[in-house]
Amino acid sequence: MKYEGNYTAMNRELLMQTVQMHMSEKRFKHVLGVEKTAVALAEKYGASPEKASIAALTHDYAKERPNDEFELVIKRDGFDLDLLNWNNAIWHGIVGADFVQRELGIDDQEILQAIRLHTTGAAEMSLLDKIIYVADFIEPGRDFPGVDKARELSLVDLDEAVRYETQHTLLHLLETKKAIYPETIETYNRWVAGK
Ligand code: DGI
Ligand code: FE
Ligand code: FE
């Protein structure tokens, strides 16, 4: 399946159904919420709504894969072997983008990068990267203290929403004594600390 430059209602339907087959109903609902939010942000900030739709529909495509599949791909395809010390939370974006490329035939590098970065963010993010990162955080199904503030910021200034989300995520990781992935620290340094 090729979506680039020719994203019809039919391709979207097929992509949606393929994604749906790979996840729980609850996660699929989240994915549709991210899509709706990402397309709205793309329209507001001048990114491609088609790319936003494809990236959103596929961003959590690999989230329900067993660990051994990720471990195999990390070893086989030349990923940094330090990734083996992490888990699904980190793998499903960084490594998941490769599943999306190989299994869904999506070769658009902007889309693949937005999938890769969606959990950790990055010091340098494209407009599409920011849209997927923020849409994942504020989609209508999310409900946590601070989500309304993030939604408001996303309507005013996308970079401010990225900053807010990054600080919020890092605080949550610290509070729950989680290991911080190096890219998450880089995102924090650039976007929150202004380094
Ligand atoms: O896949 P979603 O649940 O829609 O959202 P996500 O991809 O943004 O986040 C997945 C999980 O990853 C979430 O529980 C937060 C966690 N996470 C984000 N950054 C880090 C992290 N976990 C660890 N251990 N370290 C990180 O730096
Ligand atoms: Fe995710
Ligand atoms: Fe998600």
Side-chain angles (χ1 to χ4, degrees):
M1 278 186 258
K2 282 275 178 285
Y3 302 98
E4 226 176 305
N6 179 29
Y7 188 51
T8 61
M10 180 57 106
N11 319 139
R12 178 178 169 277
E13 200 59 38
L14 279 170
L15 183 59
M16 223 169 69
Q17 285 177 13
T18 309
V19 167
Q20 183 174 26
M21 288 191 299
H22 285 81
M23 57 187 60
S24 68
E25 229 177 287
K26 183 166 181 275
R27 178 154 289 113
F28 184 62
K29 206 164 166 265
H30 160 70
V31 162
L32 294 181
V34 176
E35 189 207 20
K36 194 169 183 217
T37 308
V39 168
L41 290 173
E43 282 164 354
K44 177 172 172 58
Y45 290 104
S48 156
E50 288 81 11
K51 288 194 190 199
S53 166
I54 297 168
L57 287 174
T58 56
H59 82 284
D60 280 340
Y61 173 72
K63 186 127 178 178
E64 295 183 12
R65 292 296 164 107
N67 289 347
D68 59 356
E69 271 194 57
F70 282 110
E71 287 161 357
L72 185 124
V73 169
I74 290 165
K75 291 181 202 158
R76 189 191 65 193
D77 294 347
F79 282 92
D80 182 346
L81 292 176
D82 176 57
L83 275 167
L84 294 171
N85 301 316
W86 295 84
N87 57 25
N88 177 282
I90 298 301
W91 295 337
H92 80 280
I94 296 175
V95 185
D98 275 44
F99 289 93
V100 169
Q101 183 170 25
R102 276 186 283 103
E103 297 175 18
L104 305 178
I106 291 167
D107 287 318
D108 184 290
Q109 289 304 317
E110 289 177 20
I111 292 172
L112 295 172
Q113 177 170 296
I115 298 168
R116 259 180 227 120
L117 301 186
H118 87 265
T119 305
T120 62
E124 298 296 332
M125 281 191 266
S126 70
L127 178 57
L128 185 66
D129 297 340
K130 292 175 196 171
I131 286 171
I132 300 301
Y133 181 72
V134 170
D136 190 25
F137 192 66
I138 64 167
E139 62 93 0
R142 295 286 199 205
D143 185 16
F144 53 83
V147 70
D148 284 327
K149 174 75 179 166
R151 288 181 180 130
E152 279 170 34
L153 290 173
S154 77
L155 298 176
V156 180
D157 184 333
L158 190 61
D159 284 3
E160 286 300 327
V162 169
R163 272 186 250 294
Y164 183 84
E165 171 176 350
T166 301
Q167 178 169 14
H168 188 284
T169 299
L170 200 75
L171 275 168
H172 180 71
L173 293 169
L174 293 172
E175 273 162 8
T176 53
K177 298 194 161 75
K178 294 270 167 56
I180 316 288
Y181 191 67
E183 191 100 33
T184 304
I185 298 181
E186 285 178 28
T187 308
Y188 172 81
N189 284 345
R190 160 68 175 76
W191 289 91
V192 183
K195 217 170 170 294

